[in-house]
Amino acid sequence: MAATMADVARIAGVSKKTVSNFFNGYPYMRDETRQRIEAAIEQLNYKVNISARNLSSGRTGSIGLAVPELAHPYFAELSQAVVSAAQRRGLNVLVEVTDGKRTRELDVLNGTGGRSVDGIIFEPIALSPDDIRDATTAIPLILIGDRVHEGRFDFVAVANEAGAHDATAHLLSSGRRRIVALGMEDSEEPTAAAGRYRGYLRALEEAGVRCDPRLLVGPIPWNRTAGADAVARLIDEGVEFDAVFGLNDALALGAMSQLQRRGLGVPQDVAVVGFDNVDEGRFSSPALTTIESGREWIAQKAVELLAQRLASPEESMGTTLLMAGHRLVERDSV
Amino acid sequence: MAATMADVARIAGVSKKTVSNFFNGYPYMRDETRQRIEAAIEQLNYKVNISARNLSSGRTGSIGLAVPELAHPYFAELSQAVVSAAQRRGLNVLVEVTDGKRTRELDVLNGTGGRSVDGIIFEPIALSPDDIRDATTAIPLILIGDRVHEGRFDFVAVANEAGAHDATAHLLSSGRRRIVALGMEDSEEPTAAAGRYRGYLRALEEAGVRCDPRLLVGPIPWNRTAGADAVARLIDEGVEFDAVFGLNDALALGAMSQLQRRGLGVPQDVAVVGFDNVDEGRFSSPALTTIESGREWIAQKAVELLAQRLASPEESMGTTLLMAGHRLVERDSV
DNA sequence: GTGAAAGCGCTAACAT
DNA sequence: ATGTTAGCGCTTTCAC
């Protein structure tokens, strides 16, 4: 049987409470007491039983992070940032992968999985605003990312429309006129694809460029393969274009790979811009021009907001909506 | 106040035990009882208190995954695989990022962080075999990845030497003779860098090719930036080479990016091979030839081994050492 | 099939 | 600065 706090107390000749104090950094303690406790801990190789602490204190010291996918560079980098920020605050992170499936996302929202965390940071991609409104979660929840779900929960958002506008405007200002909107979605739903598509349209409009429907590609999955396949299809169908705006970097990178495979020069024949500024884009050939969407900041703010919620005893303070800044990162693909 | 099991029991007109049975899938229960319980749960929006269950049952239902980094494609893909495999078995995954720092890795090993998991899957990169031998962890631990730490713990290993041998042999068979070993480490320590370097040497030897020390680059961090910088340095110093073996894909991709920036054709002027088969390499230009190192299989086996340890009540069954298979994935960079 | 009672190992008041 | 006393909300014998 593993040693308990009572064992340590007995061996050190103090009470349980004093041992508890020791572990919780209670400052007032004689050095000699401290040393006796340390010796007892060492002797027994004692480890605090976290489950007991959790039950007793009503907290777990862990937060959940629910993302569609972990292998995707954007989410990998986001998760890294969240985990780091959490560790800095002494919080553990339980990662849940939803695969972007609505049912799994609903489980996250409603705690069906049996929560073992104090709060959740959650990037949904399949839920509707209604789903979110009807959430029954019992613990604090911070939404991040792509959709704007006004109201019930704190939210840290990506500047989808503004960023997409700038990306498109950059292509236009370099003289491109036939710009593929790769991964778009024409919808009223507050999805990333729809928001970024709106930004694209607005930039075209401002420049007085007509939007050719053959250049609108989507909805498709936002990964490299889909980007590459879509571009292959455009080429095969003889659609003419002089630029590709990949609504995320994965699409843009997949597109670029396919363009080059087909003998098209980037950026000479076709310019490419992405969105997200994942590390990978710095090392593609050519390096990918993209929109920095504030991943790091988002992760940090989300953890900060959640930590606040956990700290303040239940109370109101309304809900916070934060919008990340964005910035064009010019590299060689335009 | 949140509802407790006692509340549910009272409202359903049964005992706590019966409600507990309900949640634990105990099969013998009248349908009518079951329905009354379900109604009470619904009415109270009751959620089982995981902390209490954990304390009572002595298990947490979570496993830890400790990796150096999450944003790195290899670890992102590995983590994804581990999380998926664990979720399939109903286990949650608590991710810990060690930054490859020895002290953080020691914390993982010795449970200093206060464990809230039943077992750990751990890829150390900074620990010595001695550190591992002296581990005081109280819970099952499965080691994965790069070093061979025979003895104390179950281990799932990458075929570093064999894989590196095949990668190098492939370059040699394509007629290359001056092959950079990018990221190598000449050491007796059982590190990935040393193992892969040994494979490289063996392949050269078998082909009767002399090893030029100017082509040995390392130790350097195994990321894209380091790969790119190292290649830049070689070029600037006028070192001649006709191939690069990046000891992982990140190094190879960084190298390839830099080669092309300097106007060198891949594979015409310089052939490139990597190691790991991360998804990114399928979409670089040219696509990266690499060694598939069995990431998925490793993740699955690690979870499986850990699940076994958790299931079987403490007993012996020695320790298991599994070696993943490997395979050359030919693409366009050679 | 269901109930009663005894902990699991800790934290948190409160007392000293 | 340290000790005492109650629980936290479940699971788990063991009865019925």
Side-chain angles (χ1 to χ4, degrees):
Chain A
M1 211 42 228
T4 79
M5 203 172 248
D7 299 331
V8 175
R10 193 162 25 72
I11 295 201
V14 299
S15 81
K16 254 168 52 174
K17 169 61 173 154
T18 305
V19 181
S20 176
N21 282 346
F22 173 87
F23 279 106
N24 295 292
Y26 187 68
Y28 309 106
M29 189 177 300
R30 264 197 294 264
D31 249 25
E32 188 237 329
T33 310
R34 189 187 311 279
Q35 280 161 19
R36 286 219 311 279
I37 294 178
E38 275 164 355
I41 290 168
E42 168 81 3
Q43 178 186 335
L44 295 168
N45 186 26
Y46 167 75
K47 308 273 163 67
V48 178
N49 179 322
I50 301 293
S51 295
R53 166 179 292 176
N54 290 350
L55 174 58
S56 204
S57 67
R59 285 169 298 96
T60 70
S62 298
I63 63 174
L65 170 66
V67 290
E69 200 180 342
L70 216 48
H72 188 298
Y74 178 78
F75 291 114
E77 293 178 20
L78 178 72
S79 303
Q80 165 92 273
V82 168
V83 170
S84 300
Q87 285 183 349
R88 256 177 269 129
R89 289 168 187 269
L91 293 166
N92 285 120
V93 179
L94 214 113
V95 174
E96 190 139 348
V97 172
T98 63
D99 284 330
K101 302 233 175 78
R102 179 161 172 272
T103 52
R104 308 272 290 279
E105 294 196 342
L106 282 171
D107 286 351
V108 171
L109 213 50
N110 302 319
T112 309
R115 265 301 79 55
S116 33
V117 294
D118 298 333
I120 308 188
I121 295 175
F122 180 21
E123 171 143 6
I125 63 170
L127 294 179
S128 72
D130 285 355
D131 290 331
I132 304 242
R133 195 169 19 70
D134 300 342
T136 65
T137 177
I139 55 179
L141 183 63
I142 313 285
L143 259 16
I144 59 178
D146 291 325
R147 292 153 160 267
V148 173
H149 310 274
E150 55 307 318
R152 273 205 62 185
F153 299 107
D154 291 327
F155 190 84
V156 190
V158 173
N160 284 316
E161 183 172 339
H165 169 273
D166 291 3
T168 311
H170 181 62
L171 287 168
L172 289 164
S173 77
S174 78
R176 314 291 170 152
R177 283 300 173 269
R178 298 191 50 75
I179 304 172
V180 175
L182 186 60
M184 53 70 68
E185 177 190 340
D186 187 6
S187 150
E188 295 304 309
E189 297 277 290
T191 65
R196 294 183 189 179
Y197 174 54
R198 272 195 298 281
Y200 164 88
L201 287 181
R202 185 157 59 80
L204 288 189
E205 208 172 297
E206 286 173 10
V209 173
R210 230 190 99 255
C211 170
D212 181 342
R214 281 175 306 171
L215 301 177
L216 305 178
V217 180
I220 53 174
W222 276 20
N223 56 42
R224 301 185 191 92
T225 310
D229 292 352
V231 163
R233 215 170 315 114
L234 287 177
I235 295 175
D236 291 341
E237 290 169 356
V239 176
E240 309 234 321
F241 56 95
D242 55 13
V244 173
F245 170 33
L247 267 62
N248 77 354
D249 282 352
L251 287 166
L253 259 0
M256 207 158 77
S257 150
Q258 186 63 220
L259 288 169
Q260 297 183 109
R261 198 148 306 169
R262 299 303 191 97
L264 291 167
V266 178
Q268 310 88 302
D269 302 317
V270 179
V272 177
V273 177
F275 195 117
D276 281 345
N277 193 23
V278 300
D279 197 48
E280 181 181 346
R282 293 169 45 210
F283 296 92
S284 57
S285 299
L288 184 66
T289 292
T290 187
I291 300 292
E292 163 61 49
S293 53
R295 211 172 37 256
E296 281 284 343
W297 185 87
I298 290 172
Q300 230 163 273
K301 284 299 173 189
V303 172
E304 201 173 290
L305 279 173
L306 187 49
Q308 264 169 38
R309 289 276 177 204
L310 298 181
S312 62
E314 293 285 329
E315 93 245 0
S316 49
M317 77 171 171
T319 66
T320 307
L321 197 159
L322 262 27
M323 176 73 68
H326 69 282
R327 177 173 58 79
L328 179 74
V329 179
E330 285 193 58
R331 290 199 278 250
D332 305 326
S333 65
V334 175
Chain B
M1 210 45 226
T4 78
M5 204 172 248
D7 298 331
V8 175
R10 192 163 24 74
I11 295 203
V14 298
S15 82
K16 256 170 48 173
K17 167 64 173 151
T18 307
V19 180
S20 177
N21 282 345
F22 173 87
F23 278 107
N24 295 293
Y26 187 69
Y28 308 107
M29 190 178 301
R30 266 195 291 264
D31 247 24
E32 189 236 329
T33 310
R34 190 187 310 279
Q35 280 161 18
R36 287 220 310 280
I37 293 178
E38 275 165 356
I41 289 167
E42 169 81 2
Q43 178 186 336
L44 295 168
N45 187 27
Y46 168 75
K47 310 272 164 67
V48 178
N49 179 323
I50 301 292
S51 295
R53 164 177 294 177
N54 290 349
L55 174 58
S56 209
S57 67
R59 285 170 299 97
T60 70
S62 298
I63 62 174
L65 170 66
V67 290
E69 201 180 343
L70 216 47
H72 189 299
Y74 177 78
F75 291 114
E77 294 178 20
L78 177 71
S79 303
Q80 166 91 274
V82 168
V83 170
S84 299
Q87 285 184 349
R88 259 179 265 129
R89 289 167 186 269
L91 292 166
N92 285 120
V93 179
L94 214 113
V95 174
E96 189 138 349
V97 173
T98 63
D99 284 332
K101 302 235 174 78
R102 178 160 173 274
T103 52
R104 307 273 290 281
E105 295 197 341
L106 282 172
D107 287 352
V108 170
L109 213 50
N110 302 319
T112 309
R115 265 300 80 56
S116 32
V117 294
D118 298 333
I120 308 188
I121 295 174
F122 180 21
E123 170 142 6
I125 63 170
L127 295 181
S128 73
D130 285 354
D131 290 331
I132 304 240
R133 194 168 20 71
D134 300 341
T136 66
T137 178
I139 55 180
L141 183 64
I142 313 285
L143 259 16
I144 58 179
D146 291 326
R147 292 155 160 266
V148 174
H149 309 275
E150 56 305 321
R152 271 206 62 184
F153 300 106
D154 291 327
F155 190 82
V156 190
V158 172
N160 284 315
E161 182 172 341
H165 168 272
D166 292 3
T168 310
H170 182 62
L171 287 168
L172 289 164
S173 77
S174 79
R176 313 292 170 152
R177 284 299 172 269
R178 299 192 48 77
I179 304 172
V180 176
L182 186 59
M184 54 71 68
E185 177 190 340
D186 187 7
S187 151
E188 295 305 309
E189 297 277 290
T191 66
R196 294 183 191 179
Y197 174 53
R198 273 195 298 280
Y200 164 88
L201 287 181
R202 184 156 59 79
L204 288 189
E205 208 172 298
E206 285 172 12
V209 173
R210 229 189 99 255
C211 170
D212 181 343
R214 281 175 306 172
L215 301 177
L216 305 179
V217 181
I220 53 174
W222 276 19
N223 56 42
R224 302 184 191 91
T225 310
D229 292 351
V231 163
R233 215 171 312 115
L234 286 177
I235 295 175
D236 291 341
E237 290 170 355
V239 176
E240 307 235 321
F241 56 96
D242 55 13
V244 174
F245 170 32
L247 267 60
N248 77 352
D249 281 352
L251 287 166
L253 259 0
M256 208 159 76
S257 150
Q258 186 64 221
L259 289 168
Q260 297 184 109
R261 200 147 304 168
R262 298 304 190 97
L264 292 166
V266 178
Q268 311 87 304
D269 301 316
V270 179
V272 178
V273 177
F275 195 117
D276 279 346
N277 193 23
V278 299
D279 196 48
E280 181 180 346
R282 293 169 45 211
F283 296 91
S284 56
S285 298
L288 183 67
T289 292
T290 188
I291 299 293
E292 163 61 49
S293 52
R295 212 172 34 258
E296 282 284 343
W297 184 87
I298 290 171
Q300 231 164 271
K301 284 300 174 190
V303 172
E304 201 174 289
L305 279 173
L306 187 49
Q308 265 170 37
R309 290 276 177 204
L310 298 181
S312 63
E314 293 285 328
E315 93 243 2
S316 49
M317 79 170 171
T319 66
T320 306
L321 197 159
L322 262 28
M323 177 71 69
H326 69 282
R327 177 173 58 80
L328 180 73
V329 179
E330 285 193 60
R331 291 200 279 250
D332 306 327
S333 65
V334 176

